Amino acid sequence: MKLNFTGTDICAINGTRSAPEAHYNTVVVGAGPSGIAAAIDAAKAGLRVLLVDENPVSGALMGNDVPLYFGGRMTAATQNTERMLGAIFMSMPALETAMDAGVELLLGTTAWGVYRNGPGVASLPEQVVGLADAERSWIVGFDNIILATGGRDLAIAFPGWNQPGVMGAAALQMLLTRYEAFAGRRVLVIGSHDLALETALLAKERGIDVVGLVEVRAAPQGRSELTTKVEAAGIALYCGQTIASAKGGIDGVESATLSSGAEIACDTICVAIGLIPSIELVDAMHGERALNAQRGGYIPKGETAVSAVGDCAGLTDTGFDHIAYRMEWMRALSSVSADDTIICQCEEVTRADLIGVQPPNYLTRPAPMCARSLETLLDDGPANPDQIKRLTRAGMGVCQGRRCRDQVAMLLAIEADKPFGTIPLASHRAPVRPLPLKILAEWDEPAALDAAWDVWFGIPTQWVPVEDLNTPYQDEHREMLYTGMYK
């Protein structure tokens, strides 16, 4: 049989992609100090520059702890978009400097994916970044992209952490400084490295009652000058202890119990054990990453065709081993946590579910599943967090693993008796922010892209020979599909 390859496959996507709405020499993602500085430098070099930042994020996203671990401790002021925008400009005057330099600024805009031609796709007209605001989603092309996405809080589980009032240090600092929208009054800080000490001092300065810092090690871990300021401010230090549980009521946290048995009244527990470089976009575009314990964890590595600046590129190296510190906290909290302690809040996956590699309770558990465990999986080789995610649903919720991804990797390393890093981190995939379907549904696709949608979506006409598509033969198969004749 002689095959004819002279025709055109109308199902191919080559040449049918939506054209980018605009093209920029440089796109900077993240309007923190590092991102603003990079955008200004590029504009001064005569380049066309776009600076995007997802803040102010909607109240709904804050409620789901995206992008930071807000813990339900925002005031109603965060629901007022205009007020939030004004607060950003008031607290970040460098934004006006960037605009004066010719930088195009988009606030409240999420960069949810970066795409370029490679082994997985070869049909893009150019490399593009996907953007979305509260109304729509679109793409823009670029020559160079700079990621300044900062760092996010390490969330870590203990009994009672899955209630309002348990939050992260970066989120607390943002609510106190940028938005002036923190709803708590009495804060207990977990950790004593620089991040924890700085957060405690900031909260104290803003009139918040800081009832203490809890440190798993025998002495404070931060810079001595910060420790001295904390002690001078009259903030108690509980060293050699961990938090055993958090009790709460209708409004969330009301008190915390330490491993010593001491009970401390508070309405907020601020987890300040460490920041994690936000490399979601790097990872989603298949950029290389490397584990660096002194710079906060996984950071961009090698030639990824992007530049990373600020905390996204790694925390400042002070010689402190962040990984060893976090693992010590993880082991301590695991020792006081019951098996029913929630690890993944979105999917309600418990510690026992994770270690037993079981789905959450709202799903059925047939006998073959009940016979499965992490131990049986380890017989086949190192645990793979992506496999664990699919089997347990840990990390599949609306927060996209921000609260559980890192601690799942730590727990798997502990259970497998392996150093952290030998168990890989679960992968990130675009969109790296949760997008409402109504945003994506309004995508303006060209007619050529719609022509063979039924083939791409896997309905029965995908088996129709290409040469018979868009013919009465195809119409017949569609009729059979819609009338239920396909079995």
Side-chain angles (χ1 to χ4, degrees):
M1 180 177 67
K2 183 178 181 181
L3 297 178
N4 181 10
F5 294 103
T6 59
T8 300
D9 182 358
I10 68 168
C11 299
I13 59 176
N14 299 58
T16 64
R17 298 279 190 176
S18 300
E21 289 195 5
H23 179 89
Y24 296 88
N25 301 118
T26 299
V27 173
V28 182
V29 181
S34 298
I36 294 173
I40 291 174
D41 288 344
K44 287 182 177 179
L47 303 178
R48 187 184 182 197
V49 181
L50 175 65
L51 174 61
V52 300
D53 194 282
E54 60 193 329
N55 294 291
V57 298
S58 69
L61 284 180
M62 280 187 166
N64 288 315
D65 292 330
V66 178
L68 298 178
Y69 185 19
F70 291 103
R73 278 297 178 257
M74 310 82 66
T75 67
T78 58
Q79 304 293 328
N80 187 329
T81 303
E82 288 72 21
R83 185 247 185 212
M84 297 279 276
L85 279 169
I88 286 179
F89 276 101
M90 289 293 291
S91 63
M92 304 181 70
L95 288 173
E96 292 190 21
T97 304
M99 295 172 69
D100 291 340
V103 174
E104 184 175 334
L105 175 65
L106 291 177
L107 295 180
T109 302
T110 295
W112 52 263
V114 178
Y115 299 93
R116 55 193 179 183
N117 288 323
V121 60
S123 60
L124 294 173
E126 58 179 312
Q127 51 188 354
V128 297
V129 55
L131 304 177
D133 58 19
E135 303 295 331
R136 68 189 189 101
S137 179
W138 70 100
I139 59 174
V140 299
F142 63 88
D143 296 325
N144 300 293
I145 189 166
I146 299 174
L147 300 183
T149 46
R152 57 179 177 81
D153 293 297
L154 169 70
I156 199 162
F158 51 85
W161 80 297
N162 54 320
Q163 58 184 319
V166 181
M167 67 181 306
L172 176 56
Q173 290 185 17
M174 179 175 285
L175 291 178
L176 287 174
T177 59
R178 182 179 294 186
Y179 297 133
E180 297 183 356
F182 176 55
R185 297 179 299 277
R186 290 175 59 84
V187 177
L188 178 68
V189 179
I190 307 302
S192 74
H193 194 242
D194 292 351
L195 175 68
L197 298 173
E198 290 167 353
T199 302
L201 290 170
L202 173 64
K204 187 77 173 180
E205 177 187 318
R206 296 302 172 101
I208 306 299
D209 185 9
V210 182
V211 296
L213 291 95
V214 182
E215 172 52 49
V216 71
R217 291 179 174 175
Q221 298 298 295
R223 301 197 308 272
S224 58
E225 59 268 29
L226 290 175
T227 303
T228 300
K229 288 181 180 179
V230 165
E231 292 172 341
I235 301 173
L237 285 162
Y238 299 93
C239 294
Q241 300 191 56
T242 187
I243 181 169
S245 65
K247 298 178 182 178
I250 191 171
D251 295 321
V253 170
E254 295 177 348
S255 68
T257 301
L258 305 187
S259 54
S260 64
E263 186 169 346
I264 302 174
C266 57
D267 58 30
T268 303
I269 298 172
C270 177
V271 181
I273 296 172
L275 291 181
I276 310 277
S278 295
I279 62 165
E280 293 97 327
L281 280 173
V282 174
D283 199 22
M285 62 192 292
H286 307 296
E288 292 184 85
R289 62 186 181 188
L291 183 63
N292 189 317
Q294 284 71 40
R295 301 198 64 189
Y298 287 98
I299 61 175
K301 171 192 174 185
E303 294 297 324
T304 62
V306 301
S307 298
V309 297
D311 286 345
C312 170
L315 309 182
T316 301
D317 186 353
T318 62
F320 186 75
D321 189 330
H322 295 275
I323 300 301
Y325 184 56
R326 295 169 192 170
M327 291 295 285
E328 194 166 336
W329 267 105
M330 189 78 251
R331 289 189 175 91
L333 290 172
S334 295
S335 69
V336 299
S337 298
D339 287 344
D340 63 354
T341 301
I342 295 291
I343 296 298
C344 172
Q345 292 189 25
C346 296
E347 294 292 322
E348 297 184 349
V349 179
T350 67
R351 186 172 182 273
D353 293 335
L354 182 71
I355 303 306
V357 195
Q358 298 297 310
N361 282 329
Y362 69 82
L363 295 176
T364 58
R365 298 183 178 183
M369 285 188 181
C370 293
R372 185 176 65 204
S373 69
L374 183 60
E375 185 177 354
T376 63
L377 290 185
L378 290 174
D379 289 340
D380 298 326
N384 185 300
D386 283 328
Q387 180 191 29
I388 299 293
K389 178 174 70 173
R390 294 182 180 96
L391 294 174
T392 67
R393 296 194 61 81
M396 285 192 172
V398 70
C399 87
Q400 297 175 297
R402 284 172 184 80
R403 290 181 295 215
C404 67
R405 185 188 309 267
D406 302 282
Q407 59 178 322
V408 164
M410 290 192 289
L411 279 170
L412 292 178
I414 291 172
E415 291 297 320
D417 195 24
K418 300 285 186 182
F420 183 83
T422 57
I423 305 295
L425 196 65
S427 60
H428 301 81
R429 294 184 297 175
V432 299
R433 294 291 186 268
L435 296 180
L437 287 178
K438 68 177 183 179
I439 298 295
L440 294 178
E442 295 300 320
W443 194 281
D444 185 19
E445 294 180 342
L449 191 62
D450 292 338
W453 67 268
D454 48 353
V455 174
W456 298 331
F457 278 87
I459 66 177
T461 49
Q462 68 178 305
W463 308 116
V464 176
V466 172
E467 61 269 18
D468 291 330
L469 288 173
N470 291 326
T471 68
Y473 180 77
Q474 183 192 35
D475 294 337
E476 177 185 347
H477 281 257
R478 282 180 176 156
E479 179 69 20
M480 294 172 70
L481 169 71
Y482 298 146
T483 58
M485 295 176 64
Y486 260 113
K487 302 295 183 184

